Amino acid sequence: MTERRLLASIHDVTPVHAARLDRLVPTVEAAVGRGRYALLVVPDFHRQGALTGDPQFGLRLRGWADAGCEIFLHGFTHLDESDHGGIAARWKASRMTAGEGEFLGLSTRDAEARIAEGRDMVEQIIGRPIAGFVAPAWLYGDDSLVALAAQNIRLIEDHFRVWNPQNSRVLARGPVVTYASRSRGRVASSILWSRLATTLLARAATVRLAVHPHDVDSPDLMREIARALAAFARSHRPSAYADLASG
């Protein structure tokens, strides 16, 4: 019988969100354990807080990596500053995120440059290779996928799968459980989806649950995140993304 795995992740890890991370990390660790989750790091979040400008946060990031956390590169600025030419791309940029699909409209050249610079910055801080790459808002353009393959990134994910862009091998399928805090309606729909997911995905081989720093702004979301993580941790072993590739 295939072991069921829980892949928990914290997105938008940046000095800008240091105070929120102080509240979010303990909630995640209480359910899955220290070092048994992924951190998605943004090198210069919204051009407001470069990792290299905050040595203290860099030490925290290195400590999380030393404790076992997988460190993913999560874009470079997390800002979508591209002009989108196609209807589908424009729809994704406007409907699936609030102007943060950074890698949806980049050229291959620009995407490669951001990946290379961001990876170098993060790896210098954590003292080891990154685990992979996750595009902001889980949105990729065709050129960014070419860039990821060219940069020898071997593990990426979107809303519905985890795969290797080098050979297109799919490592896991299924919807990610995540939360939105921008409005009361989004909070309510997130809680509803989360509660349904703990039932609907109870027998899934792999469950992915992703949280964001702004989730801590809603006490209702934080209670539901703690509940969902605990529920999934009972049916699925908290695991690393690397376990998918090795398995």
Side-chain angles (χ1 to χ4, degrees):
M1 180 177 177
T2 302
E3 184 177 40
R4 297 182 182 126
R5 297 188 174 106
L6 169 61
L7 303 178
S9 61
I10 299 176
H11 287 223
D12 302 352
V13 175
T14 161
V16 174
H17 290 316
R20 288 185 173 93
L21 291 169
D22 287 341
R23 299 163 58 192
L24 187 56
V25 167
T27 298
V28 174
E29 289 189 346
V32 303
R34 186 168 182 260
R36 300 304 297 167
Y37 53 95
L39 295 171
L40 278 57
V41 180
V42 186
D44 190 4
F45 185 81
H46 285 204
R47 305 191 188 279
Q48 296 175 8
L51 291 174
T52 50
D54 193 329
Q56 189 62 36
F57 190 84
L59 290 174
R60 292 181 67 190
L61 188 58
R62 176 66 177 260
W64 284 321
D66 289 344
C69 289
E70 290 179 302
I71 309 297
F72 283 76
L73 182 63
H74 189 39
F76 192 86
T77 66
H78 212 285
L79 276 176
D80 182 2
E81 300 166 306
S82 301
D83 292 325
H84 299 286
I87 295 174
R90 287 199 301 271
W91 184 88
K92 289 179 180 179
S94 63
R95 299 295 181 181
M96 297 184 70
T97 181
E100 296 192 302
E102 178 187 3
F103 274 71
L104 181 60
L106 292 178
S107 68
T108 300
R109 179 178 178 180
D110 288 344
E112 277 203 61
R114 295 191 189 202
I115 294 164
E117 184 178 357
R119 175 167 54 188
D120 182 66
M121 187 184 300
V122 173
E123 290 181 349
Q124 288 290 328
I125 291 171
I126 64 175
R128 68 203 74 201
I130 58 171
F133 179 93
V134 179
W138 291 285
L139 295 176
Y140 303 81
D142 291 341
D143 282 2
S144 68
L145 292 174
V146 172
L148 286 161
Q151 286 292 310
N152 201 31
I153 300 293
R154 297 179 180 272
L155 192 64
I156 64 176
E157 71 168 12
D158 63 13
H159 289 94
F160 296 105
R161 59 178 174 153
V162 182
W163 78 102
N164 182 340
Q166 299 287 311
N167 55 20
S168 299
R169 178 190 172 205
V170 176
L171 305 174
R173 295 187 186 274
V176 66
V177 181
T178 190
Y179 305 84
S181 59
R182 292 198 302 271
S183 68
R184 289 182 180 180
R186 289 177 182 271
V187 168
S189 62
S190 293
I191 290 173
L192 176 60
W193 161 232
S194 180
R195 289 176 179 170
L196 288 171
T198 51
T199 299
L200 296 174
L201 301 179
R203 295 183 176 275
T206 302
V207 169
R208 292 178 292 145
L209 191 147
V211 296
H212 294 76
H214 277 290
D215 293 340
V216 306
D217 298 341
S218 168
D220 290 340
L221 274 187
M222 288 299 287
R223 283 191 290 270
E224 174 55 25
I225 287 167
R227 186 205 68 81
L229 279 170
F232 281 128
R234 288 192 292 270
S235 58
H236 293 69
R237 182 174 67 85
S239 303
Y241 281 80
D243 295 339
L244 298 176
S246 64

